[in-house]
Amino acid sequence: MAQPATGPAKGPCSTPPTAAERAVHPVDEKLPPSRLVPAALQHIAAMYAGVVTPPLIIGQAVGLDTAGRTRLIAASLLIAGLATLLQTLGAGRFAGNRLPFVNAASSAGIAPMLAIAETSAPGHQLPAIYGAVLVAGVFCLAVGPFFGRLLRFFPPLVTGVVITLIGVTLMPVPVGWAQGGDATADDFGDMKYLALAAFTLVVILLIQRFGRGFVKQVALLAGLFIGTLAAIPFGLADFSALGSAPAAALPTPFAFGTPEFQPAAILSLCIVMLVLMTESSAGMLALGEICERRTDGTTITRGLRTDGIATLVGPVFGGFPTSAFAQNVGVVSLTRVRSRYVVAAAGGALIVLGVFPVLGAVVSLVPMPVLGGAGIVLFGSIAVSGIRTLSEAGLDDSSNIILVAVALGAGIIPLAAPTFYAGFPSWAQTVLGSGISAGALVAVLLNLFFHHLGTHSRPAVALKSS
């Protein structure tokens, strides 16, 4: 007679399943709403400012009005939500790493896109940017399956330089916001703007110092909210655009023009895409350890395909290069809530925010000085992340010190002397005029020179970082 399913198993090769074997892995756990909703809100709070930063900066740089910036923000939120859903839930064996992994527009592409905008004619700025982003997406899809072999050319020594430069080269942006945002205005740099930016910064610092739990995690958003409220009595907040923003609307394909393909712009963003792929791979490895789920080459390939798909589709609706959000990896590590369905719920919320532009308009109405005070924290934290990465890159070796010094110097040249490359061809100005692209190129080449050419004669300490 067959043994009942509920009875003990018999036979030398049969053992009853253990409680651990019967339990669902924490990554695949479906939490009740009472736990899922607060956990998803924490992820949204951690990612929201980062998601809306690229459209805010690029929209301002290319001269879009409030309605245009609102459309950019809505598109960025929609693409982030779709990419996060694809990443967490997966699409068969083709895409999605099925980890609690957030994908959204990365700040790493901001500086190169600003350089593209500066070298493009008015009216052709966004088309040139989106043409380069489209190709970068195709590049990611093509290189993703083989990227594991290229990781050795992007060790922490190289990625640390790039991440540091992202924060450093973007710092003039919040400084300009703190002064009012419009450099041509007569009151640019007025004390009222500086005071509002300083007030916002102080609020964020106080919340970070005395806040606890969820309140501390949303310090940036709370600072934006309180700073905006403080701006109202002084007439520095304009809410008129709320009435003109549509309550609900799907992003229109190619609303900002047909993509244009400029070789120098494409090269610049393909370099950035390599850096983003490195960051995503590192994030997946770190998240795999936190979640106690092995992250192998297949998982990384599926994750990078998601990056490529989102980056390819994004420009159709107004999105930008997409990658992992490291701050959400930190949320998983801090809260120990490892369910991918929590992050999927956060992705669904982002889609809702993207489909209702009026919600994006709320963000675009934050006064520039308030954004400036918060931006100093945001971009400064990016530079700190790069410094943290460099601290693990073997800087006790003289070759590594020289590599970092020269790469950082090359990346800071466009910031310290904006006209330094004025005599160069236009394609060279686009590539070298971005501190991130210039620094990344120099870091990769010097890493090859020091650690991959004739490495059989190099001491072990030099090879450690490569």
Side-chain angles (χ1 to χ4, degrees):
M1 180 182 294
Q3 182 67 35
T6 56
K10 294 183 179 180
C13 296
S14 299
T15 57
T18 64
E21 290 172 336
R22 290 194 300 267
V24 176
H25 193 281
V27 170
D28 300 317
E29 184 180 5
K30 297 181 179 180
L31 303 179
S34 60
R35 292 182 58 197
L36 185 144
V37 173
L41 285 176
Q42 290 186 92
H43 279 282
I44 294 172
M47 75 174 82
Y48 196 86
V51 174
V52 302
T53 294
L56 277 174
I57 296 177
I58 300 301
Q60 181 77 13
V62 301
L64 290 182
D65 57 13
T66 301
R69 294 198 299 272
T70 297
R71 292 201 303 271
L72 276 187
I73 291 171
S76 185
L77 291 168
L78 177 64
I79 296 300
L82 292 172
T84 299
L85 280 180
L86 178 59
Q87 194 72 275
T88 53
L89 302 181
R93 298 183 178 181
F94 181 73
N97 57 31
R98 292 176 176 83
L99 291 170
F101 203 71
V102 172
N103 279 76
S106 172
S107 296
I110 294 176
M113 288 188 289
L114 289 177
I116 294 171
E118 290 174 1
T119 56
S120 300
H124 296 269
Q125 296 163 314
L126 281 177
I129 290 173
Y130 286 138
V133 175
L134 277 169
V135 177
V138 174
F139 175 74
C140 180
L141 288 172
V143 175
F146 313 101
F147 189 68
R149 303 175 187 175
L150 300 176
L151 280 176
R152 63 194 184 102
F153 298 116
F154 291 87
L157 199 64
V158 173
T159 56
V161 167
V162 175
I163 297 171
T164 302
L165 285 173
I166 291 171
V168 172
T169 58
L170 288 177
M171 195 54 68
V173 174
V175 171
W177 288 348
Q179 297 177 86
D182 184 3
T184 62
D186 294 335
D187 61 350
F188 182 72
D190 192 276
M191 186 55 67
K192 62 183 178 183
Y193 297 137
L194 300 179
L196 183 57
F199 172 77
T200 303
L201 178 58
V202 170
V203 168
I204 293 172
L205 294 176
L206 289 175
I207 296 175
Q208 188 67 33
R209 171 64 180 84
F210 298 106
R212 294 291 182 271
F214 180 72
V215 174
K216 188 173 183 178
Q217 290 179 359
V218 298
L220 200 66
L221 287 180
L224 290 172
F225 178 71
I226 295 174
T228 301
L229 290 180
I232 295 175
F234 301 97
L236 299 178
D238 180 13
F239 294 90
S240 60
L242 275 178
S244 61
L250 290 174
T252 305
F254 302 117
F256 299 98
T258 305
E260 299 176 4
F261 302 96
Q262 301 177 4
I266 291 170
L267 174 60
S268 178
L269 284 191
C270 283
I271 292 173
V272 170
M273 201 68 224
L274 284 173
V275 175
L276 295 183
M277 292 167 71
T278 304
E279 290 182 3
S280 277
S281 299
M284 282 182 265
L285 291 170
L287 198 55
E289 293 182 7
I290 293 170
C291 296
E292 299 178 357
R293 170 166 283 186
R294 182 172 174 268
T295 303
D296 54 17
T298 301
T299 303
I300 290 177
T301 296
R302 291 202 304 261
L304 293 179
R305 281 202 185 108
T306 303
D307 286 358
I309 292 171
T311 302
L312 176 62
V313 175
V316 176
F317 300 102
F320 299 108
T322 299
S323 182
F325 263 35
Q327 55 265 51
N328 291 88
V329 176
V331 172
V332 175
S333 177
L334 181 67
T335 63
R336 302 302 297 173
V337 177
R338 295 172 282 180
S339 171
R340 59 192 173 104
Y341 296 104
V342 167
V343 176
L350 290 177
I351 293 176
V352 173
L353 292 173
V355 173
F356 293 91
V358 67
L359 300 176
V362 173
V363 180
S364 68
L365 297 176
V366 176
M368 283 295 166
V370 175
L371 284 173
I376 290 174
V377 178
L378 178 63
F379 298 136
S381 65
I382 296 174
V384 170
S385 297
I387 294 171
R388 184 189 301 119
T389 302
L390 286 173
S391 68
E392 304 171 356
L395 291 183
D396 52 341
D397 178 71
S398 60
S399 296
N400 291 345
I401 294 174
I402 293 296
L403 186 157
V404 172
V406 175
L408 286 177
I412 292 174
I413 285 176
L415 186 65
T419 61
F420 187 84
Y421 297 109
F424 284 59
S426 58
W427 65 266
Q429 291 184 40
T430 301
V431 176
L432 300 177
S434 163
I436 297 173
S437 297
L441 275 174
V442 172
V444 170
L445 292 176
L446 289 182
N447 183 57
L448 288 171
F449 177 70
F450 283 119
H451 302 316
H452 292 275
L453 297 178
T455 54
H456 62 278
S457 60
R458 297 287 301 155
V461 67
L463 292 174
K464 180 180 178 181
S465 64
S466 62

